[in-house]
Amino acid sequence: MQIIGLCRFSYPALGGFQVEHDAIEERSAFLYSEKRMEERFRHFETIMLPSIAAQTETDFKFVIVIGDNLPERYQERLFDLCAPISHIQSQAHAPADHRETMQKAINTARVKSDAPCLQFRHDDDDAIAVTFVEEFKRAAMDCRPLLERNKFVAFDFPRGYVVRPDAKGLHVEETYHPFWGVALGCSVAPHIRKSIMTFAHGRMGRFMPSISFDQPVMYLRGHNDYNDSRQGPNVTQPKLKLLDNEGEQMIRNTFAVDAEHIRRVFA
């Protein structure tokens, strides 16, 4: 089974955002502002990228979708960071409908339409445990009869941490949040062009059989000033605590996220 992960990196889509803009030009200006891009790159470099690079199962593709209007200096910076990681593939797309573009990106990376495909979505400020792809694949193999009877099957690992990196290190709160969109995968049957991006992640359980694993801890969910999902006035604020040395070592072992690296980048 081919395994594909998808990440949009400041892609100026039509739809797909809770922060709305009247025109693509306004959305692009917001997404590509220098202050925002600096924050996104810091999280991308210290939180997301290390966990993708250190996966114990390396036989997968991780597709990063960017806008074809992303300024060249940011494209070069992104490509330089990703170059050492062989399973990362970047795709540039013109601004268009969010779900259609993300589905196109996944199907472009899908090389065997006659075989089941395991897919997961991922944000550019989140991390997954270094064992996520391996555990996702094992779970799907264990459930092979279920996959054969259904077009889609969801696999959710809802236990993780909300995290905020800064010059002091990493502030965290443990959380349990089903169908949150991180450490959430989906099997797609052969010859099906629809993808995990067809479904709103919080509603996937309404449209397919879903399997949830209470253990292990499987994600770091980034909490920062530009989270699209946290811009509303009624969003619950987590109670974050700065990790001590023991906690930093646990995060390093589980996610390949290094607090010393965070302190250097955020200093």
Side-chain angles (χ1 to χ4, degrees), residues 46 167 169 245 248 252 257-266:
T46 63
N245 291 337
E248 290 183 356
R252 189 179 301 113
V257 172
D258 186 351
E260 284 297 328
H261 185 201
I262 289 171
R263 282 187 279 270
R264 288 195 303 271
V265 171
F266 281 81

Side-chain angles (χ1 to χ4, degrees), residues 87-108:
H87 45 266
I88 288 183
Q89 174 190 105
S90 62
Q91 295 184 20
H93 292 268
D97 179 80
H98 173 251
R99 295 197 184 280
E100 290 182 3
T101 302
M102 297 304 117
Q103 183 167 302
K104 178 181 178 181
I106 288 178
N107 285 321
T108 297

